[in-house]
Amino acid sequence: SSGINAEWPLRPGGDLGASQSTFSVCYLISKLSSNIICNWAPPRVVLSIGISCVGLINILAGVLDSPQHLWILWGLNGLCCGVCWPPIAVLIVSHFSEKSRGKTWSLVSSSMNAGATVSPLLTDFLVYYGSWNMSFYFTGVLDVLIGIVILSVIPPISSSSATQATTSPATPWQWGMVFNKLVGSICVGYTLLSFGVITMGTWGQMYFIEKLGVGTLSAGAIVSVYEIGGFCGATASGFFADFLAERLGDSRVSPRAYSAVLCCGIVCCSAFGLNFLPLATYFTCQICAFGFGFGVFGTIAMFGLMIREFVPREHGGTLSAVLAFASQIGGFSAGSPLACYNDTHTIADGFWIMTCCMPAAFVFMLLLITQDGKYKMKVE
């Protein structure tokens, strides 16, 4: 926040990039572990512990006395945040039918954008009327309370589902589940799109200041429009995918794939719109930022469900761990590596790299509509 930066002046390149890469590495480690743990541990318990630990770390961040402690806690925060997403996917697949999962998952995914839109405003309010420490205390206590509520509100996976999972013969692991064109396309696309998400979230405000010559508040408003677009895109893609699921029935191709292709096409157009100087006005940048958020989060929202629905339930965690690894490669690349590039060039040059990645992601999304949405076991 601005309060922290006033007390400890931070370098916008090295410090910001290093902290983002640290978070990505820690997030990856915990997400890989959580996907495996959710194969045998109660997912609602894993989710509750993860969110509660995030809250405790935020409370500790409020009492830190040096930026070095902040980076350590930021890494620990990544470890705890990564724990939370895999159990959410397991709970949705277990409690909702295939024709309603898209809407549910999209609403959960869009909540991240809602939080990203509200949190800067709430933080500025708390900093203005209190201190930057207060913003950490507030979110920390809120997270701990949410962790407690989760155990009370979310029902455990039904005993009938658990009995069926234990009495039915286990599906043997096959490496074809990983080395598959559908999984490979999703992983590469996720890497490229994650690079775009972190680039916009980390460097977007400085990019718009540099490109448009506007102030910090005006540039931040464009980034907020991007988050609003992400909320709308993540929600709309899930509803559209469920609509297709009802119309297509037992189609060979996953209905999530068509929604991903459509949203990724919007990403490509919006990314190029953000970089064309002749069209660079404040209004057009807002439109393109909204479209970029709409498309990129709408596409990513489909990945988790496609992976979980692609393989038998007992192997969903392992395959989701592979997907998490792919996404964090993109997140890490948008941290320190991109910061080093921006230091020797300009942030606008870094945005061109991100823009060129989007058409490549679109090509891999097109491959999804040529693949089976369910893995076919090979008879040995």
Side-chain angles (χ1 to χ4, degrees), residues 241-261:
D242 281 353
F243 171 79
L244 291 179
E246 295 179 355
R247 296 296 185 274
L248 297 177
D250 296 329
S251 174
R252 179 183 68 86
V253 180
S254 171
R256 327 287 178 201
Y258 295 106
S259 185
V261 169

Side-chain angles (χ1 to χ4, degrees), residues 130-325:
S131 65
W132 61 264
N133 308 74
M134 187 179 295
S135 65
F136 281 107
Y137 295 146
F138 178 82
T139 55
V141 172
L142 182 62
D143 286 339
V144 172
L145 292 176
I146 291 175
I148 296 173
V149 170
I150 285 174
L151 287 177
S152 305
V153 175
I154 299 180
I157 296 177
S158 63
S159 58
S160 59
S161 299
T163 303
Q164 183 179 0
T166 55
T167 57
S168 58
T171 305
W173 170 260
Q174 294 185 356
W175 282 105
M177 296 179 185
V178 176
F179 299 106
N180 179 278
K181 290 182 180 179
L182 183 137
V183 175
S185 298
I186 292 177
C187 287
V188 176
Y190 205 175
T191 299
L192 296 170
L193 292 172
S194 294
F195 181 77
V197 169
I198 302 302
T199 299
M200 177 66 82
T202 305
W203 309 102
Q205 188 171 15
M206 288 179 282
Y207 170 73
F208 292 121
I209 293 174
E210 177 183 292
K211 181 174 183 178
L212 299 177
V214 296
T216 302
L217 185 60
S218 297
I222 299 179
V223 178
S224 295
V225 171
Y226 153 76
E227 294 290 352
I228 294 172
F231 176 86
C232 297
T235 304
S237 65
F239 278 80
F240 181 65
D242 281 353
F243 171 79
L244 291 179
E246 295 179 355
R247 296 296 185 274
L248 297 177
D250 296 329
S251 174
R252 179 183 68 86
V253 180
S254 171
R256 327 287 178 201
Y258 295 106
S259 185
V261 169
L262 177 61
C263 289
C264 198
I266 297 175
V267 172
C268 294
C269 297
S270 301
F272 278 101
L274 285 171
N275 283 277
F276 280 119
L277 289 175
L279 301 177
T281 66
Y282 189 76
F283 179 70
T284 56
C285 281
Q286 283 185 315
I287 294 177
C288 291
F290 180 90
F292 187 86
F294 186 100
V296 74
F297 284 103
T299 306
I300 290 175
M302 296 294 97
F303 290 161
L305 277 181
M306 289 183 69
I307 287 293
R308 286 282 175 175
E309 294 174 347
F310 178 64
V311 295
R313 178 177 170 182
E314 59 266 29
H315 301 306
T318 305
L319 212 58
S320 294
V322 175
L323 183 63
F325 179 78

Side-chain angles (χ1 to χ4, degrees), residues 14 64-65 67-68 78-79 141 184 198 206 224 283 323-324 362-363 376:
L64 59 84
D65 57 1
Q68 288 76 22
L79 287 174
V141 172
I198 302 302
M206 288 179 282
S224 295
F283 179 70
L323 183 63
F362 181 70
V363 172
K376 295 181 179 179

